[in-house]
Amino acid sequence: MAEREGRRWNHNIHFHSVVLGAVPAHASSALDVGTGDGMLAVELRRTLTDVVAIDSSEAVLNAAAKQHGGIEWVLGDVMTHDFGRTFDVVAAVAVVHHFPDLRRGLRRLAAVTSPGGSLVVVGLARAASVRDHLYGVAGVVQHRWYSHRRTMWEHSAPTVWPPPHTYNEARAAAAGVLPGAQWRQYPLWRYVLTWRKPAR
């Protein structure tokens, strides 16, 4: 992931480049799920003409909408909102651990992804193995390094900690719901799940 000196940084922004790198060449539309302050939606809008950002927090969403134009801001729950269409890119950064049922949440995200489109999940999970804890140690070091060299920025979106599922549970859920999905665990207490929906 490329460094972005001089720009604000936090653990979620750190992974925006992963989402942007997964945008298909043919893409024109994107859905940013749990957009919060809207930073990812803004980055997506720089390359895509049609960006929808949804969040269930009215105060956070209104603040984002006041600062950024050219994006359709939707107050609602992605699990129940009727978009009336699908999207070439569906991104969920630090969102799926909020879902009461992870598998159901992943199915919903897959359902709003267009055929041939990409689903990218940057998720949080709970450490439950020696390997997980080693990644956590690396995350502490990485956090200190970046936070001393960047402008550390605290988002205003609601948080859930600790996450309700472990890394292994999240990986198993993805394998069961999204066949062929790519999975990678990272420091900074994150994993990345990318899935290309089969074209019709």
Side-chain angles (χ1 to χ4, degrees), residues 19-193:
V19 177
L20 299 174
V23 174
H26 69 273
S28 62
S29 62
L31 173 65
D32 181 18
V33 179
T35 189
D37 295 284
M39 302 307 299
L40 177 58
V42 170
E43 292 196 56
L44 287 165
R45 184 63 182 83
R46 292 187 181 123
T47 56
L48 301 174
T49 57
D50 178 12
V51 176
V52 176
I54 186 170
D55 202 285
S56 59
S57 173
E58 185 173 10
V60 172
L61 194 74
N62 286 343
K66 287 178 181 178
Q67 294 183 54
H68 308 290
I71 296 166
E72 181 182 348
W73 304 96
V74 176
L75 177 63
D77 183 347
V78 70
M79 296 299 296
T80 57
H81 184 78
D82 182 9
F83 295 99
R85 59 171 172 145
T86 58
F87 301 87
D88 299 323
V89 183
V90 175
V93 177
V95 170
V96 300
H97 65 292
H98 290 264
F99 292 156
D101 184 328
L102 178 58
R103 284 176 171 79
R104 181 168 172 261
L106 292 176
R107 289 190 192 99
R108 172 59 176 164
L109 296 181
V112 295
T113 304
S114 299
S118 293
L119 168 61
V120 187
V121 172
V122 179
L124 285 73
R126 191 174 69 251
S129 68
V130 172
R131 182 175 183 272
D132 295 342
H133 287 292
L134 288 174
Y135 270 100
V137 171
V140 170
V141 174
Q142 195 173 34
H143 169 83
R144 289 177 177 172
W145 193 91
Y146 276 108
S147 60
H148 279 84
R149 288 163 176 78
R150 306 288 179 85
T151 302
M152 186 69 182
W153 179 65
E154 294 292 339
H155 63 76
S156 61
T159 60
V160 172
W161 192 265
H165 47 262
T166 66
Y167 288 97
N168 283 341
E169 290 169 343
R171 187 172 188 171
V177 174
L178 306 170
Q182 296 182 342
W183 163 283
R184 185 171 177 183
Q185 186 171 343
Y186 286 87
L188 295 177
W189 306 279
R190 301 295 191 275
Y191 64 86
V192 174
L193 165 68

